[in-house]
Amino acid sequence: MALLIARHGETALNVARVVQPADTVLSARGELQAAALGERLAREYRVRSIVSSDLPRALQTAERVARCLGVPVTESSEWRERNFGHLRGRAYETLGFDPVAMREAPEGGESLAQFEARVARACEEIGRAHV
């Protein structure tokens, strides 16, 4: 088994360099990127299933890819991006620091260690499901 990991397509807030709120959706360009990813995966791999974060931008990407591949999408909150809490919705340039480099939890968010533990659980779950 191989595990392929893809990031969601572009959002308007990616372009604006804003820490994204959970409910951010794909831009028109992001939809095109998702379609292109699906077409490439269909040509180059035999994908049997897709597991996606349940956040809208990730789920939109996964569903578009799944249409190209004819496979199901399973949603999992374990695959959400790191929760940056009260930093969500703020422009990176207004923060004065790089939130991605933070090890500690921002107010209302999760620390890097919490995020890494969650992703490790998600990987283990996939491994158990595909043995």
Side-chain angles (χ1 to χ4, degrees):
M1 172 184 85
L3 176 64
L4 304 173
I5 298 176
R7 188 170 190 266
H8 61 77
E10 179 189 271
T11 70
L13 294 179
N14 287 140
V15 175
R17 304 248 331 117
V18 171
V19 180
Q20 297 185 86
D23 61 352
T24 305
V25 297
L26 294 180
S27 64
R29 182 174 180 196
E31 288 280 352
L32 292 173
Q33 291 169 337
L37 175 61
E39 291 165 6
R40 180 174 179 186
L41 291 174
R43 281 192 315 271
E44 297 180 17
Y45 296 92
R46 198 180 124 235
V47 176
R48 295 186 319 209
S49 64
I50 297 173
V51 178
S52 173
S53 161
D54 59 351
L55 295 182
R57 59 192 168 274
L59 195 54
Q60 283 177 286
T61 302
E63 289 172 342
R64 183 64 186 95
V65 169
R67 282 196 296 274
C68 291
L69 300 173
V71 299
V73 176
T74 302
E75 296 177 43
S76 172
S77 61
E78 292 290 289
W79 282 102
R80 288 181 180 179
E81 66 191 24
R82 184 174 170 192
N83 180 353
F84 286 102
H86 294 302
L87 299 179
R88 288 178 168 173
R90 295 187 55 192
Y92 282 87
E93 67 186 31
T94 68
L95 298 176
F97 60 92
D98 179 2
V100 176
M102 292 178 66
R103 297 197 64 77
E104 66 278 1
E107 184 180 350
E110 67 185 328
S111 69
L112 182 59
Q114 290 169 316
F115 170 69
E116 288 172 344
R118 180 166 51 83
V119 172
R121 287 191 308 270
C123 288
E124 289 171 4
E125 183 178 313
I126 287 176
R128 284 191 304 274
H130 293 90
V131 175

